[in-house]
Amino acid sequence: MADDIGAHLASLDFAAVSPAEFARLVKGLSAQQIKDLAADEALRERVLAEVFGRMKQQFRPEAAGTLDALIRWKITGVSSDAVYETRISEGRCEVTEGRTETEARTTLILADADFLKLVSGNANPVTMFMMRKLKIAGDVALASGLTRYFDIPKA
C-alpha cells in the first residue's frame, strides 16, 4: 500500500497540486504512511520544499500587520531533520532553508507526519501542543497565532 501511494506521490508535479488537493491527499494518509513515505529522502525533500515554497503565496500580510519575527521550523525525520526559517517583516514573508545564526522568536519542532497534518489543515495546533506532538521553544503566544497569518487549506 505504501509503495502504491509512494509511487503516486513521487510521480506528482507538486507545483500543479492546489493547496486544497494537497490537504485532501494528506487527510487520506495515516501518520505511519506519511512516516514510511518520508523515509524516501528525495520525496521528503520535494514535499517540504513545495510546502515552504508556498508559504509566501499563502501569507496574509493584512493579518500580520507590523509583526516582525523569525520563525524556525524543525521537522524531525527518520534519518535526518530539516530546518526552515520563515521571516515575517514589513508585511512580507520570506522563507529560507537551513538554520541561520539569527535568534528565532519561536521555534516549532514536529515530526514529518505532524508537520504535514498541521500545514494541510488536518490537525489542530493547540491539540498537537497539548499532546506533545508540537513542541515550541520561545514565544508560545506567537506560535499559537501563526495560523491566522496564512491561508491554510481545509480538506
Side-chain angles (χ1 to χ4, degrees):
M1 173 88 168
D3 289 340
D4 292 342
I5 295 168
H8 173 68
L9 290 176
S11 70
L12 278 178
D13 173 9
F14 289 112
V17 175
S18 74
E21 290 171 305
F22 180 74
R24 281 191 296 279
L25 278 170
V26 172
K27 185 175 187 175
L29 298 172
S30 70
Q32 185 60 50
Q33 287 174 312
I34 294 172
K35 184 177 177 180
D36 292 345
L37 294 170
D40 177 340
E41 282 295 318
L43 179 58
R44 179 181 187 245
E45 288 175 18
R46 282 182 54 216
V47 170
L48 291 176
E50 188 61 37
V51 168
F52 282 102
R54 289 184 181 197
M55 278 192 176
K56 285 174 74 167
Q57 293 131 342
Q58 301 299 114
F59 181 62
R60 298 177 55 221
E62 70 283 356
T66 61
L67 177 65
D68 184 11
L70 177 70
I71 298 100
R72 184 169 294 130
W73 303 81
K74 182 177 179 183
I75 299 93
T76 59
V78 174
S79 61
S80 66
D81 295 342
V83 176
Y84 284 81
E85 293 183 342
T86 306
R87 161 65 73 188
I88 297 174
S89 180
E90 298 179 8
R92 291 191 320 262
C93 175
E94 299 296 326
V95 178
T96 55
E97 183 178 0
R99 188 184 197 284
T100 63
E101 293 302 314
T102 306
E103 187 174 335
R105 187 157 152 196
T106 193
T107 299
L108 294 92
I109 305 163
L110 309 97
D112 288 313
D114 297 320
F115 172 74
L116 291 180
K117 296 282 185 183
L118 177 68
V119 299
S120 65
N122 287 299
N124 180 307
V126 174
T127 302
M128 292 177 75
F129 179 74
M130 299 301 280
M131 295 179 68
R132 297 182 176 236
K133 291 182 176 192
L134 166 62
K135 295 174 182 78
I136 300 169
D139 189 340
V140 175
L142 171 63
S144 70
L146 281 178
T147 56
R148 74 173 160 256
Y149 304 130
F150 297 92
D151 285 324
I152 298 175
K154 301 287 185 243

